[in-house]
Amino acid sequence: MVAKINTNSNLFGTLIYNSQKVENDAAKIIHANKVMQDKNGEYNMLLCNQSFAPFLAANRKTEEPILHISLNPHPDDVLTDEQLINIADEYMLKMGFGEQPYIVFKHEDIERKHIHIVSTNVDETGKKINDFNNFRQSKKITQELEAKYNLHPASKRDYTEEVPRLKKVDYKAGDVKKQIAGNVKALMQSYRFTSLPEYRALLSIYNIGIEEVSGESRGKSYRGLVYSALDNNGNKVGNPIKSSSIAKSVGYNALQKKVVSSGKLIKDKNLTERIKPILDTATQNYRNRHSFEAELLRNGVSVVFRENEEGRIYGATFIDHENRTVLNGSKIGKAYSANVFNSLFQNSVADEPITNDQEINNTEENLVIPPVLELDITATPKEQEDLETQTSGFSENTYKQKTDDSDFSSPFSLLEQHGEDYEAESFARRKEAEAKRRKRKGRRM
């Protein structure tokens, strides 16, 4: 079982985030402690806020008094509501929060059912509850609970927080922003790539496009990223979505740092070696492009070819899903450059068995992308010194667009690396900002 502990200053936003999932039948309230109910024995957000009010009113110093904890069992564990309630109570008691008001939401919007607990880390006198060594204590408690309830031991790599199984964006299915956000957060975190074009190739297999934007606003220059949905032919559909409206973790600064750290990891771990024999075998046995691509997919590798209007291949990018590494062919070696594949497919053997489109599609759908891994995506100071050189390819297909530059000037958050609940915390921040704007407006009146 994996526990994730987040803190913030916005009770209302945190409660609304969870309650909206309840309204959408994606979650339900299964338990609460020291939280008032209405006359029908049900919980509503007004009474929940009132239950926390005395604790928060007494607080004068703690900047982030709201606790937002998620407890995530191993994907193979199927627990009843009663078991989840007992686990929540025992966890809160052992963590020192047993006497606090808290409410337990069971989230059911992804296959792995899990719980979110909203509470406060200040007691009724306003004193902050000691959280020294909180994360080590939490790890010890979850291990004890695993043993007591006969659960599978779980680590962070066994689950993805609030990220559904990756699949292609379907523009016609609606809620395009949510589809794109879920994919880009997971892909940015878990795959390695050393340029914007490589990242673009990775996104394209999930029907997502990306462009760099730059310009000047209020006398200040900016550079940023926008994401778009693509149809099955690679054409943009719908309106572009600024990275700042999704999360800083998928913005320009985060991408710069990921490029630097990925280059170091690929070099240090020699991650180009696994893919070479796969490419060699496919090249030797198949001169038909469809059959070649199908052979790669059977070995957990996708390929994205870039072609000009005449159909000449001028770029080849390979995505190794097992190592979660994106590599341009020229970086693997001269034998895997675009010119080699352009010549290979032009000289296709006429009597070679050709894999038809239906078989290719079936192969793609049946390819199981491994669970998202948590990778080290921070950059050391030395790596940042080399940033300008390693990101020189960032301006490919740049176009101008006036946009919010806040996403591109903020420093990279180490908290995001370690698994913040992006959607919940972003929602809470938005609600807090709205409340401040209403307050300022009220003062002017």
Side-chain angles (χ1 to χ4, degrees), residues 2-7 66-72 91 95 97 121 131 133-139 415 418-421 425:
V2 174
K4 304 188 77 174
I5 306 173
N6 296 310
T7 60
I66 306 305
L67 279 172
H68 193 182
I69 301 169
S70 67
L71 297 181
N72 304 269
Y91 179 86
M95 284 293 291
F97 303 124
N121 58 18
D131 60 1
N133 224 9
N134 234 8
F135 293 96
R136 182 175 296 180
Q137 176 69 5
S138 176
K139 180 66 176 177
L415 290 177
H418 293 292
E420 287 290 304
D421 188 339
E425 303 312 318

Side-chain angles (χ1 to χ4, degrees), residues 110-126:
I110 57 177
E111 186 175 351
R112 173 190 49 77
K113 307 297 187 291
H114 58 288
I115 58 176
H116 282 230
I117 306 172
V118 179
S119 186
T120 175
N121 58 18
V122 293
D123 63 22
E124 55 191 358
T125 69

Side-chain angles (χ1 to χ4, degrees), residues 4-73:
K4 304 188 77 174
I5 306 173
N6 296 310
T7 60
N8 64 69
S9 59
N10 190 346
L11 172 65
F12 179 73
T14 304
L15 287 174
I16 289 297
Y17 164 75
N18 286 281
S19 66
Q20 283 186 347
K21 286 185 176 287
V22 174
E23 292 174 4
N24 295 328
D25 294 324
K28 63 181 180 179
I29 298 173
I30 60 172
H31 181 54
N33 183 62
K34 294 188 175 181
V35 174
M36 293 183 285
Q37 298 172 293
D38 62 20
K39 61 182 181 180
N40 298 318
E42 297 179 353
Y43 298 99
N44 61 58
M45 294 306 102
L46 174 62
L47 293 178
C48 287
N49 270 289
Q50 291 178 357
S51 300
F52 283 88
F55 294 78
L56 300 180
N59 172 55
R60 293 293 182 268
K61 296 181 179 179
T62 304
E63 294 182 356
E64 296 188 336
I66 306 305
L67 279 172
H68 193 182
I69 301 169
S70 67
L71 297 181
N72 304 269

Side-chain angles (χ1 to χ4, degrees), residues 156-169:
K156 286 186 178 180
R157 68 176 56 197
D158 291 322
Y159 76 99
T160 307
E161 177 67 13
E162 299 305 337
V163 177
R165 179 187 173 116
L166 297 183
K167 58 182 180 180
K168 289 184 177 182
V169 169

Side-chain angles (χ1 to χ4, degrees), residues 404-416:
D404 178 11
D405 66 340
S406 61
D407 187 34
F408 318 123
S409 59
S410 302
F412 180 70
S413 170
L414 292 177
L415 290 177
E416 291 177 351

